[in-house]
Each structure stands twice: as structure tokens, then as C-alpha cells.
């Protein structure tokens, strides 16, 4: 590689990495915890549920109860299961009957408990798991700024990965085995950055590509909408199978009674392994009422297998079907594979734990890259003003990034003690505490103290998480294990392990003496 190309790759890698470093750290740190989103939700609520994607609901009873409160006639109703918990998501469109009162023409969204049929608004159902999940794509920033910011951060991260790979291509194998902790700081950080970067390279590449796709796909397809579909966005969504076939409302009441549970069971009987993940009821109570039952085959049976059946309720006739084994199109495969590899939900706890570790390794790669940038710019031939500015920039970076660990642990404790903690109070606890810690570390002006304090305080709080759960609920991790409450047991043990590792790391950190 000639010097010109090397300099181009080097500066592109450095600039793209530094510009996105803080945002990228937040995305990967919050995203790493999001692999355990389902477990965190159940741990917060002191609930345990079957580890399956299938909706477990008495549809007839649930709809009968909802009909009393919302008057379902003429509505389109979608029942889905976004995560492994005891609540299903219910979205009801406004009634299509033009004679219906104004209130019935309003749509609504809520969560429904599959046991006691109690409904919860989005705010009432908000949890720490939801906060961390949405933080990993910056959804707390008003739409669409947060989405696009996270999407373009993923895109720049892809540039950083490719240019970093090109920089180390010739020595990619030899450099992987080199680690010199007793050398000068820049060498230490460079070796750690290179070795850990190579370990997490496939993981990082996958998340850079899928993250950019999910967050900025609207910008990617916008030219196609204008050129190929003449601005008709609905037509595009229909061809991408994001919307279902519309059946007209006939303004006639359905003469015969219907049984949704029977239709769901009938659809499932076609493929015994199918897990029902969505039920879409169109024109509820109308003569042209249709029910779509959609499901997915378990990943160990078929990596991507989406099946669906559509029934006309008036005569129970099947009007459409997609076989999950033989009829999955290229479009189905692309959409499903991207979601699966991004969420890491196809390999059980083993894959989640590995993904979490690789996510934390990526966080360290980001920090080490920032430290390389700082040590390379702390030379004596640079003006004192520039060196102080560079040090201040890194101090802010470290304060923002490292304080996420103790504040996340504190949020776990707060969400358990004060459950149910409202969305507003959860925001005050997490983001308010994060801001205070960041300001404290910036004022302290000691990077070594920031690192050590965050590791130790995060560890102490981490050990307190299972203790808090045991005191508040009376369910200690060994009793959870005995009672087969796997999600609750996992989070308690996960924090004990994580706190132990970070505490061990903190007490084995030795300040590196500056070379004269």
C-alpha cells in the first residue's frame, strides 16, 4: 500500500471513529443490555413466562372484555407479541362504520395481560428494558432526528471498520497476536484496539450494516418511491408486504357467531411447529370480516419460515395461505434474516451472552481508539493549549461513556424498589443521574479516577441488584431457580457475574507511568 492510500485510510478511519465515538458507545452499551430485554421486563415485574414467541391468549374472552369498553364493531384489530412476556400488544383502528360515534372512530394502542386481561397504556407498561432498548437507537431524541442520527452513526461505523481493516490488512494475522502491556501508552492502546477489534469484527460489521438499514432505510428507498412508484408510498409498502390486502366494509352485521380461537387453532394445525405471533382481525363484526393468522417456525426447525392463513369468517373459508416451509420468498428471507441476526434471538441464552460480550468488547474498542487518538496528540512539540484541549475532549468522552455502567446498575435497583416506576420518573433517574455523574467526572478532571470509580461503583451496585430483588420480592436467585423462574434467576446471576468481573478488573488496574 502506497503512502497516499495509507494516509487516506488512516485519516478516514480516525476522523470517522472520533466523530461517532460517544454516540457509538451509547448505542453498543445500551444495545448489549437489550439482548436481555425480555428477561429484564420479567425481572422488573417479578413475573416468569414460557420462553416462546407464541401468543398465549384466550382470544374470545379477551375480545368480549374489550368489546364492552371500546365497542369493536367495524374496527381492524391487530394482536401481536413483541417480546417474551405475559402481555400482548393490541392495536385497534377506528371503526370503519361511518355511522359510528366519534369516539369509536379513534384508534388506540395498549398492552393486554394474557392472564387477567387488564390493559395498560404504553406509558404504564414502560420499563427499564424499554428505555435501554430505545436508547440503543436514540429514540429518546425526537423523531426522526434520533433515528437518523443512529443510522448515520452506524454508516460511519461501517466506514471505520472497512478502513481499519484495510490499514491492518498486511499484518492482520501477526498484529492479532501482539500485545505489549509494558510498553508505552500508545503501544498498549494500539495493541488492545487491534486485537479486540479483530475479535469482534464480524459482529461489528453485521451490526453496522443492519443498524444502518433499519434506521435510514426510508432515505434509501425514497428515490425508488419517487421514481418507480411515482410517490405512492402505500403501493411500495404493499409490495414489500408490510400491509395486508384490504377487504371492504359492507355495513352489514355478521349473521352467524364466530370463534377466533377455533380459527387460530385451525391455522396452527396446518403446521404443528408454527408459533402464532400475530392475529389480524379486519372489519370486526361485519359481514365481510376476515381473520389473518400469522406465525413463525422455530429457528431450530427453519431459520426463516413465516406462514400465514386468511379466513373469511362468514363461511369459515380459507381465502389465502402462505406455507412457511415452501413459500417463503426472497423478500421474506431478507427481511427476516436481517431482524434475526440483529436481535440475536435464534440461539437461546448462549447466543445472547456471546453477543453481550462482543458488544462490551466493541465498547472497549471504541474507548481504546479514543485513547490512541489522545496519546498520539500529547507530544511535547504540540502547544500546551492544544494538548489541554485534546485532554478535555477525551475527559468529556470518558465521563459520558463510563458513567453509563453505574447509572444502569442504579436504574435496575430503582426500578425494582419503586416498581412500577413511571416513564417520567425513570427518565429522571436514568438520564438525570447520568448527567450528574458526567458533570462530576468532568469537574474532577482525572481520567484514571473516572475509570476506577465507575468500575467499582458499578460493581457494588451490581451486587446490590439481586439483594434488592430478594428483599423486595422475597424471591432470591436460588429460589427462582428452584421455582423455574428462569428470566428472574438469569438477571440476578448475570449481575453477580458482571459485577465480579468489573470489580476484579478495577482492582487489577495499575496506573501507567508516563514516559519522560
Amino acid at each position: 500500500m502506497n503512502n497516499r492510500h495509507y494516509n487516506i485510510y488512516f485519516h478516514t478511519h480516525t476522523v470517522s471513529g472520533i466523530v461517532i465515538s460517544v454516540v457509538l458507545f451509547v448505542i453498543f452499551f445500551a444495545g448489549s443490555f437489550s439482548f436481555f430485554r425480555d428477561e429484564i421486563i420479567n425481572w422488573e415485574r417479578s413475573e416468569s413466562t414460557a420462553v416462546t414467541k407464541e401468543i398465549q391468549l384466550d382470544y374470545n374472552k379477551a375480545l368480549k372484555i374489550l368489546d364492552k369498553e371500546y365497542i369493536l364493531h367495524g374496527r381492524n384489530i391487530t394482536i401481536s407479541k413483541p417480546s417474551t412476556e405475559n402481555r400482548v400488544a393490541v392495536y385497534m383502528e377506528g371503526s370503519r362504520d361511518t355511522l359510528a360515534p366519534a369516539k369509536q372512530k379513534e384508534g388506540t394502542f395498549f398492552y393486554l395481560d394474557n392472564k387477567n386481561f387488564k390493559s395498560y397504556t404504553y406509558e404504564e407498561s414502560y420499563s427499564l428494558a424499554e428505555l435501554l432498548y430505545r436508547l440503543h437507537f436514540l429514540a429518546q431524541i425526537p423523531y426522526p432526528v434520533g433515528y437518523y442520527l443512529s443510522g448515520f452513526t452506524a454508516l460511519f461505523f461501517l466506514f471505520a471498520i472497512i478502513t481499519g481493516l484495510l490499514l491492518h490488512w498486511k499484518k492482520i494475522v501477526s498484529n492479532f497476536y501482539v500485545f505489549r502491556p509494558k510498553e508505552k501508552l500508545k503501544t498498549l492502546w494500539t495493541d488492545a484496539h487491534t486485537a479486540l477489534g479483530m475479535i469482534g469484527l464480524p459482529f461489528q460489521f453485521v451490526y453496522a450494516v443492519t443498524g444502518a438499514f433499519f434506521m435510514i432505510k426510508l432515505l434509501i428507498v425514497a428515490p425508488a418511491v419517487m421514481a418507480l412508484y411515482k410517490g405512492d408510498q402505500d403501493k411500495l409498502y404493499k409490495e414489500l408486504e408490510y400491509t395486508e390486502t384490504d377487504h371492504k366494509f359492507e355495513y352489514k352485521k355478521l349473521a352467524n357467531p364466530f370463534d377466533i380461537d377455533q380459527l387460530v387453532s385451525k391455522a396452527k394445525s396446518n403446521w404443528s411447529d408454527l408459533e402464532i405471533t400475530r392475529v389480524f382481525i379486519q372489519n370486526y363484526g361485519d359481514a365481510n370480516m376476515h381473520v389473518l393468522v400469522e406465525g413463525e417456525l422455530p429457528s431450530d426447525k427453519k431459520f426463516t419460515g413465516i406462514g400465514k392463513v386468511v379466513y373469511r369468517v362468514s363461511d369459515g373459508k380459507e381465502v389465502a395461505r402462505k406455507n412457511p416451509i415452501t413459500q417463503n420468498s426472497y423478500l421474506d428471507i431478507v427481511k427476516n434474516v436481517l431482524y434475526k441476526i440483529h436481535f440475536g434471538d435464534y440461539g437461546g441464552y448462549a447466543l445472547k451472552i456471546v453477543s453481550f460480550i462482543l458488544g462490551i468488547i466493541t465498547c472497549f474498542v471504541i474507548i481504546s481508539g479514543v485513547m490512541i487518538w489522545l496519546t498520539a496528540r500529547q507530544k511535547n512539540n504540540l502547544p500546551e493549549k492544544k494538548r489541554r484541549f485534546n485532554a478535555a475532549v477525551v475527559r468529556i468522552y470518558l465521563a459520558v461513556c463510563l458513567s453509563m455502567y453505574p447509572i444502569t446498575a442504579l436504574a435496575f435497583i430503582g426500578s425494582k424498589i419503586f416498581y412500577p416506576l413511571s416513564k417520567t420518573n425513570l427518565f429522571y433517574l436514568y438520564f438525570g443521574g447520568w448527567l450528574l455523574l458526567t458533570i462530576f467526572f468532568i469537574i474532577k478532571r482525572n481520567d484514571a479516577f473516572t475509570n476506577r470509580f465507575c468500575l467499582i461503583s458499578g460493581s457494588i451496585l451490581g451486587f446490590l441488584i439481586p439483594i434488592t430483588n430478594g428483599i423486595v420480592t422475597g424471591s432470591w436467585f436460588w429460589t427462582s431457580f428452584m421455582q423455574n423462574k428462569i428470566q428472574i434467576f438469569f438477571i440476578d446471576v448475570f449481575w453477580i457475574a458482571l459485577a465480579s468481573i468489573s470489580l476484579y478488573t478495577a482492582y487489577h488496574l495499575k496506573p501507567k507511568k508516563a514516559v519522560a
Side-chain angles (χ1 to χ4, degrees):
M1 184 187 300
N2 59 47
N3 286 336
R4 181 173 179 273
H5 288 165
Y6 181 87
N7 288 332
I8 290 173
Y9 297 148
F10 179 80
H11 290 296
T12 303
H13 181 76
T14 304
V15 172
S16 60
I18 289 297
V19 167
I20 65 175
S21 58
V22 172
V23 177
L24 195 62
F25 184 97
V26 172
I27 289 172
F28 269 96
F29 189 87
S32 297
F33 280 89
S34 295
F35 286 117
F36 308 119
R37 180 188 179 192
D38 298 344
E39 288 74 20
I40 296 172
I41 289 174
N42 287 287
W43 180 87
E44 285 183 81
R45 298 172 183 166
S46 301
E47 297 176 348
S48 187
T49 185
V51 184
T52 176
K53 294 182 179 180
E54 184 160 26
I55 299 173
Q56 297 174 317
L57 181 69
D58 185 332
Y59 295 93
N60 292 332
K61 188 174 181 179
L63 292 169
K64 187 177 180 180
I65 292 172
L66 294 176
D67 193 30
K68 293 178 181 178
E69 183 176 356
Y70 296 100
I71 311 299
L72 303 183
H73 182 75
R75 294 180 184 268
N76 291 344
I77 305 167
T78 303
I79 301 173
S80 60
K81 189 178 180 181
S83 56
T84 306
E85 57 178 305
N86 287 329
R87 297 178 189 179
V88 295
V90 180
Y91 172 63
M92 299 193 303
E93 298 178 24
S95 177
R96 304 176 79 177
D97 189 347
T98 55
L99 300 177
K103 189 176 181 180
Q104 291 180 31
K105 293 181 181 180
E106 297 175 359
T108 184
F109 174 85
F110 55 88
Y111 291 95
L112 185 71
D113 192 292
N114 62 11
K115 293 182 178 179
N116 58 22
F117 303 104
K118 183 179 178 181
S119 59
Y120 302 85
T121 63
Y122 177 74
E123 287 71 21
E124 290 172 340
S125 197
Y126 202 86
S127 63
L128 177 59
E130 183 73 2
L131 184 150
L132 291 170
Y133 169 71
R134 298 185 70 79
L135 179 61
H136 102 275
F137 53 92
L138 310 181
Q140 283 82 7
I141 300 174
Y143 179 83
V145 178
Y147 283 40
Y148 290 159
L149 179 59
S150 61
F152 281 109
T153 298
L155 194 61
F156 278 109
F157 183 46
L158 185 60
F159 292 153
I161 292 171
I162 294 172
T163 51
L165 190 62
L166 291 172
L167 281 173
H168 297 286
W169 184 254
K170 286 187 176 181
K171 297 182 178 180
I172 199 168
V173 176
S174 60
N175 284 358
F176 178 77
Y177 295 101
V178 175
F179 186 65
R180 296 160 287 183
K182 295 183 180 180
E183 295 292 330
K184 59 184 180 179
L185 276 174
K186 187 174 185 294
T187 303
L188 170 63
W189 286 118
T190 302
D191 289 348
H193 185 77
T194 304
L196 292 175
M198 289 310 304
I199 290 173
L201 180 63
F203 173 86
Q204 294 157 13
F205 182 82
V206 164
Y207 280 86
V209 172
T210 55
F213 170 77
F214 289 137
M215 293 297 102
I216 56 176
K217 61 186 175 185
L218 290 178
L219 294 180
I220 296 172
V221 302
V225 175
M226 299 305 297
L228 301 177
Y229 296 91
K230 298 180 181 179
D232 190 349
Q233 188 172 329
D234 293 336
K235 186 178 179 181
L236 171 66
Y237 284 165
K238 187 173 182 179
E239 290 199 10
L240 292 177
E241 298 184 9
Y242 284 116
T243 57
E244 304 297 339
T245 303
D246 183 41
H247 297 96
K248 292 183 179 180
F249 188 74
E250 293 188 355
Y251 296 92
K252 297 178 182 177
K253 283 190 177 183
L254 188 64
N256 54 302
F258 54 88
D259 189 330
I260 303 297
D261 285 297
Q262 186 180 17
L263 293 177
V264 172
S265 299
K266 186 178 178 182
K268 187 174 174 62
S269 66
N270 293 306
W271 309 282
S272 58
D273 294 321
L274 192 72
E275 296 179 334
I276 307 302
T277 56
R278 185 170 74 105
V279 175
F280 176 55
I281 304 171
Q282 197 173 52
N283 303 325
Y284 187 92
D286 186 71
N288 200 28
M289 177 179 173
H290 285 71
V291 175
L292 179 147
V293 182
E294 183 176 277
E296 182 179 347
L297 293 176
S299 299
D300 59 339
K301 301 292 183 182
K302 195 171 189 293
F303 189 73
T304 172
I306 305 295
K308 61 176 71 173
V309 184
V310 180
Y311 296 104
R312 185 168 56 227
V313 179
S314 59
D315 55 8
K317 185 179 179 181
E318 181 183 303
V319 296
R321 172 190 288 208
K322 174 184 281 189
N323 191 312
I325 301 173
T326 61
Q327 288 184 293
N328 275 194
S329 64
Y330 174 77
L331 178 64
D332 292 322
I333 295 171
V334 169
K335 289 192 300 183
N336 204 30
V337 167
L338 286 175
Y339 276 100
K340 277 182 174 292
I341 63 176
H342 188 85
F343 289 102
D345 61 351
Y346 55 89
Y349 281 112
L351 180 62
K352 289 184 178 183
I353 292 170
V354 171
S355 298
F356 176 84
I357 293 171
L358 290 173
I360 297 301
I361 285 176
T362 304
C363 291
F364 184 83
V365 170
I366 296 165
I367 291 293
S368 60
V370 172
M371 297 309 296
I372 292 170
W373 179 85
L374 175 64
T375 52
R377 283 157 181 77
Q378 291 298 82
K379 298 176 182 178
N380 292 330
N381 60 352
L382 284 176
E384 180 68 18
K385 187 176 180 180
K386 283 189 176 180
R387 282 190 288 165
R388 288 190 175 185
F389 174 78
N390 293 338
V393 170
V394 172
R395 187 180 307 120
I396 295 170
Y397 277 17
L398 292 179
V400 173
C401 296
L402 297 181
S403 56
M404 282 192 76
Y405 180 43
I407 202 61
T408 300
L410 180 63
F412 269 83
I413 295 173
S415 64
K416 175 59 69 172
I417 294 175
F418 302 106
Y419 180 83
L421 198 60
S422 67
K423 179 181 177 181
T424 302
N425 289 332
L426 190 56
F427 272 37
Y428 282 139
L429 173 62
Y430 195 93
F431 294 110
W434 189 7
L435 177 62
L436 291 175
L437 270 181
T438 301
I439 294 172
F440 170 70
F441 292 136
I442 292 172
I443 295 173
K444 183 69 178 175
R445 301 180 66 180
N446 187 326
D447 295 343
F449 172 83
T450 299
N451 187 26
R452 193 174 177 84
F453 182 91
C454 288
L455 286 173
I456 295 175
S457 62
S459 300
I460 294 171
L461 292 169
F463 284 122
L464 289 174
I465 288 171
I467 295 174
T468 303
N469 182 42
I471 294 173
V472 172
T473 66
S475 179
W476 301 91
F477 67 88
W478 57 85
T479 58
S480 298
F481 179 77
M482 296 297 292
Q483 295 169 3
N484 202 32
K485 296 179 179 179
I486 300 301
Q487 292 99 342
I488 300 173
F489 166 77
F490 178 82
I491 293 298
D492 284 344
V493 173
F494 164 78
W495 269 108
I496 293 172
L498 184 60
S500 300
I501 293 169
S502 57
L503 190 64
Y504 176 85
T505 304
Y507 277 100
H508 284 76
L509 285 176
K510 294 181 179 179
K512 189 76 176 176
K513 294 181 180 180
V515 179

